[in-house]
Amino acid sequence: MELVLYIDIAISVVALISFIFGLRKYVGRRKPLYATMIVFGVGCILLGRSYTVFRILAGMPVVGIFHAGILGRVGVFAFFFSSNFGQVDSLVDDGSRSFIKYRIIAVSGILITAAIYALILLSPAGLAEKISDGLAAAMIAPASYFHVKHIIIPDVDYGVVRCLRGFNTVALLFGIFSMAELAVAAYGSVPEPLGLNAVLYCICGAVLCVLSGILIPVMDRGVRKWSK
């Protein structure tokens, strides 16, 4: 449980710094809606992880059950999905057959999420944990579809796709490692010190910590190039 606490504290701190940066720069009147939604997505990382931290400090369980912290994960990818689906996708894909191969390849984002969730379903985790993880997977999968699609699809005028490929790559990795973290937890509710489960959990936590910190800076660099 201490391992979960330390990792969530680290991610919360990094997400807070990133969120404050994004809040100051991209939340307000006449700000690009795409960037604003990404900032709120990172805010969900902060809320979800902070909730888990306070729950642990209060002596309440956080594994093997459903708790509100999972809604933070769902919220992250709800914002990421909405930003790509509503703001950018119509610019790069007109729905014609000429783009069908990119749509097919993009399904790999859904399949990766589904494959990791299948491992969770095969784990010894309880029903509540599997349902909770399923809610996260249900939002990560469609978001990942658009991340993959916007990484590989040809660019359009003004370089919108090219400028946002960096962010979509980081966001895709964030989704994959978020699912991986849930899968590791499903196979060991309380990772044993120095055990394989603990090592894998630490790797996922460290990667997620880094990704949480660079989501907004990478997006910021892309948006500034896009708006020039």
Side-chain angles (χ1 to χ4, degrees), residues 5-6 35 215:
L5 175 63
Y6 296 148
L215 276 166

Side-chain angles (χ1 to χ4, degrees), residues 13-226:
V13 171
V14 171
L16 175 61
I17 295 171
S18 186
F19 179 65
I20 291 174
F21 168 76
L23 197 66
R24 292 169 60 90
K25 191 163 187 177
Y26 286 112
V27 177
R29 296 182 60 186
R30 298 184 178 179
K31 302 294 184 181
L33 180 59
Y34 182 94
T36 301
M37 296 179 82
I38 302 307
V39 172
F40 286 147
V42 173
C44 287
I45 298 175
L46 173 61
L47 289 174
R49 297 290 177 163
S50 297
Y51 178 87
T52 303
V53 169
F54 290 127
R55 191 176 175 90
I56 293 174
L57 293 177
M60 303 171 69
V62 296
V63 292
I65 63 168
F66 177 88
H67 62 81
I70 196 68
L71 298 180
R73 293 179 190 263
V74 174
V76 175
F77 293 96
F79 277 113
F80 290 178
F81 168 80
S82 298
S83 63
N84 275 331
F85 177 78
Q87 292 294 303
V88 177
D89 196 61
S90 60
L91 297 176
V92 299
D93 184 359
D94 60 6
S96 65
R97 291 184 60 84
S98 60
F99 292 103
I100 192 169
K101 65 179 179 180
Y102 302 108
R103 297 184 206 119
I104 293 174
I105 296 173
V107 174
S108 62
I110 297 175
L111 296 178
I112 292 172
T113 305
I116 299 175
Y117 184 58
L119 293 176
I120 295 174
L121 291 176
L122 295 173
S123 75
L127 180 60
E129 185 171 356
K130 290 177 180 178
I131 293 174
S132 178
D133 293 351
L135 290 176
M139 198 66 255
I140 292 173
S144 296
Y145 168 85
F146 284 104
H147 292 319
V148 174
K149 184 179 178 182
H150 293 172
I151 290 170
I152 63 173
I153 203 165
D155 207 351
V156 293
D157 293 341
Y158 306 111
V160 175
V161 174
R162 175 178 52 81
C163 292
L164 297 176
R165 278 178 182 149
F167 163 74
N168 280 299
T169 300
V170 174
L172 176 64
L173 290 173
F174 189 84
I176 292 172
F177 276 92
S178 293
M179 287 301 302
E181 182 188 39
L182 293 174
V184 172
Y187 280 89
S189 295
V190 182
E192 297 179 4
L194 303 181
L196 177 61
N197 191 272
V199 172
L200 293 175
Y201 199 85
C202 284
I203 291 173
C204 290
V207 173
L208 288 171
C209 190
V210 172
L211 295 176
S212 297
I214 66 175
L215 276 166
I216 290 180
V218 171
M219 177 274 293
D220 173 56
R221 183 174 62 183
V223 170
R224 283 190 285 110
K225 289 181 179 178
W226 171 15

